[in-house]
Amino acid sequence: MSSQQQSHQRVFLITGANKGIGFEVVKKLAANHPTDLILLGSRDQKRGEEALAQLGSPLNVKVLLIDTSSKESIEQAKQEIQKKYGDHLDVLINNAGIAPIKSDLKALKDTFNTNFYGVKQMNDAMSPLLRDNGRIVNVSSEAAALSMKHCSQDLKTKFLNPNLTETELEELFAPLFKAVEEGKDPKTVGFDPIKYSALENFYLLYYCASKLGVTILTRLEARDWNKKYSTKNITISAVCPGFCTTDLNNKAQGTRSPELGADSILYAVYTENLENGQFWRDGSRLPLESEE
Ligand SMILES: NC(=O)c1ccc[n+]([C@@H]2O[C@H](COP(=O)([O-])OP(=O)(O)OC[C@H]3O[C@@H](n4cnc5c(N)ncnc54)[C@H](OP(=O)(O)O)[C@@H]3O)[C@@H](O)[C@H]2O)c1
């Protein structure tokens, strides 16, 4: 790749893109940007290669091995971008996510390691690579707003504090981890287990809390990066793709297609003058607290 090509070619990275909504995002980006580079993130090389083959191995798509729950893996992926792909990013889509099927401490840690810390670690590591007018989309869920609705008033006030720091945000979840570790009801520390019948087959509280974390994190990153990257005009958004039929929910029926979920994400990639740090679905602003 010549340096001239590198400077003109835009680079998109989508994590967890070997299947589901992330795969559909890559498919659309590959078609829309034939001369740009789309990095199809996959935590497993073989699954990534299979996804690439399923796309017909377009020349503008490359597999990037990346496990977002591992700092080492993120660092290796970053080095690969620096060495092989021009040392920059234009769009980062933090799509990788899991839904726990158990309610023990390991399930809580695993969920947060990918859905919350994974996004934070990705952004800490990759944001310096973003060029002018770069975009980050943190794939969240309306589950975040449900979590906000069902947590204590004290927690709500703290989550919505405009001066909250990222460290303080992490600390707001510490009592939940302690309660689960000690076998206490999460309600005693302000996190009320949520009853949301459409998602009944995984442990909702952990998933919803992790997505609340990502949605609030997005607001804080937008606020802080205005200063940190003041000349770069970076836009960061949280997006709900909507309830889509994927492996995450055991291919739940009566939901929307992952293609539509991808469109919801791409809205935050393509829309001009998007308000920074906000929460979107299908191009409409979502409230931070569910009205359901
Ligand atoms: N489906 C919905 O209804 C819905 C609704 C709201 C939000 N979302 C969000 O949308 C995103 C995509 O979900 P989906 O429905 O497309 O789920 P999916 O089909 O299960 O795909 C999830 C993807 O994330 C990858 N992944 C999981 N943990 C990872 C990690 N630590 N590092 C890197 N990749 C990892 C998976 O890789 P493997 O193949 O290796 O497991 C897979 O590629 C998630 O953030 C999810 O929370 C989905």
Side-chain angles (χ1 to χ4, degrees):
M1 197 188 290
S2 74
S3 56
Q4 204 180 14
Q5 268 178 313
Q6 283 171 11
S7 61
H8 287 109
Q9 190 178 47
R10 299 182 77 207
V11 181
F12 296 73
L13 167 58
I14 304 91
T15 64
N18 54 289
K19 65 178 182 179
I21 298 164
F23 177 78
E24 296 301 329
V25 170
V26 169
K27 197 195 270 183
K28 285 171 190 273
L29 287 173
N32 292 350
H33 300 269
T35 58
D36 288 329
L37 177 63
I38 321 299
L39 298 175
L40 183 162
S42 175
R43 62 176 162 176
D44 179 273
Q45 189 71 32
K46 187 162 173 279
R47 288 199 285 275
E49 299 296 346
E50 284 167 358
L52 184 64
Q54 221 181 311
L55 289 171
S57 302
L59 291 175
N60 60 336
V61 182
K62 306 282 177 212
V63 174
L64 184 73
L65 188 63
I66 186 161
D67 178 341
T68 61
S69 67
S70 155
K71 269 190 179 169
E72 293 72 31
S73 175
I74 291 173
E75 193 45 45
Q76 277 171 14
K78 183 176 178 180
Q79 283 175 18
E80 202 168 337
I81 294 169
Q82 289 170 322
K83 284 186 198 140
K84 285 172 65 180
Y85 300 126
D87 195 16
H88 69 259
L89 284 176
D90 293 281
V91 175
L92 166 61
I93 300 177
N94 288 306
N95 166 76
I98 58 168
I101 49 170
K102 289 190 176 169
S103 58
D104 57 18
L105 182 63
K106 182 179 180 312
L108 176 62
K109 283 185 177 168
D110 288 348
T111 304
F112 266 72
N113 281 345
T114 293
N115 293 6
F116 176 70
Y117 289 108
V119 174
K120 180 171 158 34
Q121 283 163 192
M122 278 295 291
N123 291 345
D124 288 347
M126 301 293 182
S127 57
L129 300 188
L130 281 174
R131 294 197 294 187
D132 287 359
N133 306 313
R135 295 232 167 166
I136 292 185
V137 180
N138 293 333
V139 179
S140 183
S141 164
E142 264 190 288
L146 272 177
S147 192
M148 183 72 102
K149 179 179 170 141
H150 291 279
C151 73
S152 67
Q153 187 55 50
D154 177 53
L155 272 175
K156 250 177 236 178
T157 306
K158 287 176 176 158
F159 279 124
L160 293 173
N161 173 3
N163 300 316
L164 188 71
T165 65
E166 289 188 22
T167 307
E168 287 166 349
L169 173 61
E170 288 177 43
E171 284 167 3
L172 290 181
F173 292 107
L176 174 62
F177 281 77
K178 193 158 182 281
V180 173
E181 188 170 16
E182 293 174 353
K184 287 188 188 147
D185 185 345
K187 222 177 187 169
T188 59
V189 291
F191 289 94
D192 201 347
I194 298 154
K195 293 184 176 45
Y196 189 42
S197 58
L199 301 172
E200 67 202 353
N201 55 0
F202 54 83
Y203 200 78
L204 287 172
L205 173 62
Y206 301 173
Y207 180 77
C208 296
S210 69
K211 293 297 186 182
L212 174 61
V214 155
T215 309
I216 301 292
L217 177 71
T218 307
R219 286 157 54 98
L220 307 186
E221 288 174 333
R223 179 197 65 196
D224 296 343
W225 292 0
N226 266 340
K227 294 184 201 119
K228 191 172 173 189
Y229 301 117
S230 58
T231 56
K232 282 195 176 181
N233 189 32
I234 290 172
T235 305
I236 179 159
S237 310
V239 168
C240 173
F243 194 27
C244 306
T245 309
T246 66
D247 288 348
L248 188 97
N249 47 36
N250 294 322
K251 301 254 186 306
Q253 295 308 302
T255 56
R256 49 163 47 188
S257 69
E259 290 92 330
L260 268 183
D263 286 340
S264 187
I265 290 170
L266 289 174
Y267 172 87
V269 171
Y270 290 131
T271 305
E272 303 270 332
N273 302 319
L274 201 62
E275 194 183 340
N276 214 350
Q278 300 302 316
F279 186 25
W280 306 94
R281 188 194 54 210
D282 299 334
S284 296
R285 276 270 296 273
L286 284 177
L288 275 177
E289 185 174 345
S290 172
E291 286 152 5
E292 284 177 30

